[in-house]
Amino acid sequence: MSFKEFNSSLAETDSEVAVIIEHEKKRLNDGLVMIPSESMTSTAVMEATGSVLTSKYAEGYPHKRYYTGAENVDDVETLAIERAKSLFGAEHVNVQPHSGSNANLQAYNAVLRPGDKVLGLRLDQGGHLTHGHAVNLSGKLYEFHQYGVDARTQLLDYDAVLKLAREVKPKLIVSGATAYPRTIDFQAFHEIAQEVGAYSMADIAHIAGLIAGGAHPSPLPFTDIVTTTTHKTLCGPRSAIIMCRNEDRLAQVEGLDEKQAKAAKNLAGKIDKSVFPGSQGGPLEHVIAAKAVCFKQAATPEFKEFAHQIVKNSRALADELLAGGLTLVTGGTDNHLLLIDLTPFGVGKGFEVSEALARAGIYTNRNTVPFDQSTPFKPSGVRLGTPVLTQRGMKEGEMAAVGKWICAIARQPSDEALVERTRGGVAELCGRFPLYA
Ligand SMILES: *Cc1c(COP(=O)(O)O)cnc(C)c1O
């Protein structure tokens, strides 16, 4: 088969996949995506992701490749790095990690040896699997000790983190969360790390877009290592980056010669080595190009306004849910997400309520609440957020309407007539705020 025959469009080549993609476009347009880890990426980002850059092998880094013909991917990777540095104020950026989970493992591998002690937030209180859960490689390779939230306020308790850090003497302290509705004090985490002689690492996967837009305080430039996905509030392609300080604050250089000492002090070099050749092969240069596009979009004044509107919408939604008698973990929100605690309606109600909401066209996800009395598959909470609704142009007024629907379904998840009526309202609202053409 010649390339001319091989190079046909998706519609001509594979109607099965083409039809599934059309179905997904329709689902996105006709429903309210309120999963806080999701956002709709731009056509510009998708064009870069779908470009010829996908065909290039480029192991190594710009101008230090193992393959010839890399001049164009060198340009695009350099552009992505420079834009990320400027967007977040980072000293060094590696744009090659394929995903947030990879980025975290690569960051650990750069500064830890198997068995080293680390602190991370418990999964069932808002942390991520890669922050040391037993089923994850992070929890198997390293000795993670987990901190949680305060039982009464459900807020991070920095005194408790400090106390645990003094007891455990970890080599690394990980901050950041996947289900925490409040501002995280990254400065406090960094100071605790300094006090106990540990590296600080912030995983800003969920809130990177808020940070880029100035709607949440940044862990940069002081935190040693900062990882983030690029597809959550940052609205870019499904991928990740690692940012870090150039210098390794904790480097031990006694007894080393000049060259070895220089390497020991080079944190940026350790991060790069850990990504390639440490754990990945050829970088996804088409996705790196899409990340460059995403960083350009995230640096605009419009993005800044969007980031602040996400939080305003989140607060408006929280007010409506509280007015409707629902319970929110921590009593509200400072960011893009909310966690409804359904325990007052019965333990383990998260499954039933999130499924009923989905039947009405409102997509959320079931989630544990702190000190949940049920299981992770049938937890007592529902996690939801406002990034995609904000992208569609919805404001506080629409949040009030959506909040009323959620309150009604949370109380009566098996009332199919209610679900059906809500579905109609959702379709009408979505029609007024279209997504993709
Ligand atoms: C989503 C998330 C990740 C993992 O990202 P993937 O791209 O799904 O691997 C890591 N850390 C946090 C805090 C997250 O929210």
Side-chain angles (χ1 to χ4, degrees), residues 99-102 104 128 130-131 176-178 203 205-206 229 231-232 239:
S99 73
S101 297
N102 286 16
N104 285 347
H128 190 259
T130 55
H131 296 187
T178 178
D203 175 356
H206 258 264
T229 60
H231 53 271
K232 297 184 184 176
S239 197

Side-chain angles (χ1 to χ4, degrees), residues 114-138:
D116 276 350
K117 293 174 183 164
V118 192
L119 298 195
L121 177 60
R122 298 170 58 114
L123 178 74
D124 60 355
Q125 299 191 7
H128 190 259
L129 280 165
T130 55
H131 296 187
H133 195 277
V135 301
N136 187 266
L137 195 52
S138 58

Side-chain angles (χ1 to χ4, degrees), residues 310-371:
I310 290 177
V311 178
K312 284 187 208 162
N313 283 351
S314 224
R315 292 217 167 107
L317 182 61
D319 289 345
E320 190 63 39
L321 298 181
L322 292 169
L326 297 194
T327 304
L328 296 178
V329 170
T330 76
T333 178
D334 300 326
N335 59 22
H336 64 300
L337 76 80
L338 304 90
L339 202 49
I340 304 172
D341 184 353
L342 295 163
T343 312
F345 302 122
V347 168
K349 281 275 184 189
F351 186 94
E352 198 186 338
V353 170
S354 62
E355 290 296 330
L357 286 169
R359 286 199 299 283
I362 300 173
Y363 301 102
T364 62
N365 68 276
R366 45 189 168 273
N367 212 97
T368 51
V369 295
F371 309 98

Side-chain angles (χ1 to χ4, degrees), residues 179-247:
Y180 187 69
R182 295 294 185 173
T183 301
I184 297 176
D185 187 346
F186 293 115
Q187 186 80 49
F189 273 105
H190 181 67
E191 281 166 15
I192 295 168
Q194 276 180 313
E195 179 175 332
V196 301
Y199 294 102
S200 59
M201 171 173 154
D203 175 356
I204 59 169
H206 258 264
I207 54 175
L210 302 184
I211 290 171
H216 187 290
S218 176
L220 291 133
F222 50 86
T223 304
D224 293 305
I225 304 173
V226 178
T227 58
T228 185
T229 60
T230 49
H231 53 271
K232 297 184 184 176
T233 50
L234 207 49
C235 305
R238 184 160 296 281
S239 197
I241 61 173
I242 305 177
M243 301 178 267
C244 67
R245 308 291 306 257
N246 283 326
E247 191 180 308

